[in-house]
């Protein structure tokens, strides 16, 4: 078991993001148990398989990051995690997690591997998380954005797709 007490707290945002992603990758590869202390909710969401929320030495809530999206979360935990918690959890997922049927420009459904972008905006990287996809939807003032599905293939992702995922993972 590795104990880490706010290891990334004093870093600038760019280096912090890079190290968080690297740490996550290393941890998955080594499959070691890590007790990671942080006050950064997004860091807990990104790095934790389970989150424990404490208040003055008492456990107020414990579960998977997704479990805190469900109704019935204790008031202290809701306040601590923040009203935007469901949006923050989007960082844990990428477009391929949505398992979307894609649509062609004429509106017909097609397999993901046959989709072309319906607009001239840039296609997002396949490793773009859903929080980045949401930001791009807002930037483009669009209902859907294209995400590279690999091998020259694309999938269209929209607001409803992300809302559906949040409902599914919240169980």
């Amino acid at each position: 078991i590795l104990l880490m007490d706010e290891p990334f707290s004093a870093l600038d945002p760019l280096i912090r993001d890079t190290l968080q992603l690297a740490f996550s990758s290393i941890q998955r590869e080594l499959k070691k148990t890590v007790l990671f202390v942080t006050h950064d909710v997004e860091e807990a969401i990104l790095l934790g398989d389970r989150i424990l929320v404490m208040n003055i030495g008492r456990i107020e809530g414990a579960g998977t990051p997704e479990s805190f999206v469900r109704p019935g979360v204790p008031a202290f935990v809701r306040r601590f995690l923040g009203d935007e918690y469901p949006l923050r959890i989007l960082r844990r997922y990428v477009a391929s997690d949505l398992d979307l049927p894609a649509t062609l420009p004429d509106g017909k459904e097609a397999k993901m591997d046959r989709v072309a972008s319906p607009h001239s905006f840039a296609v997002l990287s396949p490793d773009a998380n859903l929080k980045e996809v949401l930001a791009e939807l807002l930037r483009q003032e669009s209902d859907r954005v294209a995400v590279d599905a690999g091998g020259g293939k694309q999938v269209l992702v929209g607001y409803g797709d992300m809302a559906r995922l949040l409902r599914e993972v919240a169980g």
Side-chain angles (χ1 to χ4, degrees), residues 6-71:
E6 300 198 55
F8 306 133
S9 64
L11 301 174
D12 71 69
L14 292 177
I15 292 175
R16 183 180 187 139
D17 281 350
T18 301
L19 287 178
Q20 286 171 340
L21 293 173
F23 174 79
S24 180
S25 176
I26 292 167
Q27 199 278 330
R28 272 193 312 273
E29 185 179 319
L30 297 178
K31 297 178 182 168
K32 299 294 178 190
T33 299
V34 179
L35 179 60
F36 194 101
V37 178
T38 184
H39 289 88
D40 182 330
V41 173
E42 286 207 25
E43 188 169 68
I45 291 168
L46 179 65
L47 300 177
D49 295 323
R50 297 193 43 83
I51 296 174
L52 185 77
V53 178
M54 297 184 72
N55 180 23
I56 313 172
R58 286 191 332 254
I59 297 172
E60 298 284 342
T64 64
E66 294 81 6
S67 69
F68 295 108
V69 176
R70 296 182 186 126

Side-chain angles (χ1 to χ4, degrees), residues 45 64-67 69 84-93 166 169:
I45 291 168
T64 64
E66 294 81 6
S67 69
V69 176
E84 70 285 353
Y85 184 81
L87 296 176
R88 290 176 167 182
I89 204 154
L90 291 173
R91 190 169 179 212
R92 285 182 67 90
Y93 298 95
L166 286 173
V169 300

Side-chain angles (χ1 to χ4, degrees), residues 122-129 132-134 136 140 145-149:
V123 175
L124 294 175
S125 160
D127 60 348
N129 64 58
E132 294 166 324
V133 171
L134 178 59
E136 191 62 23
Q140 292 183 16
V145 293
V147 177
D148 184 349

Side-chain angles (χ1 to χ4, degrees), residues 117-123 136 140 146:
S117 177
H119 48 67
S120 61
F121 294 106
V123 175
E136 191 62 23
Q140 292 183 16

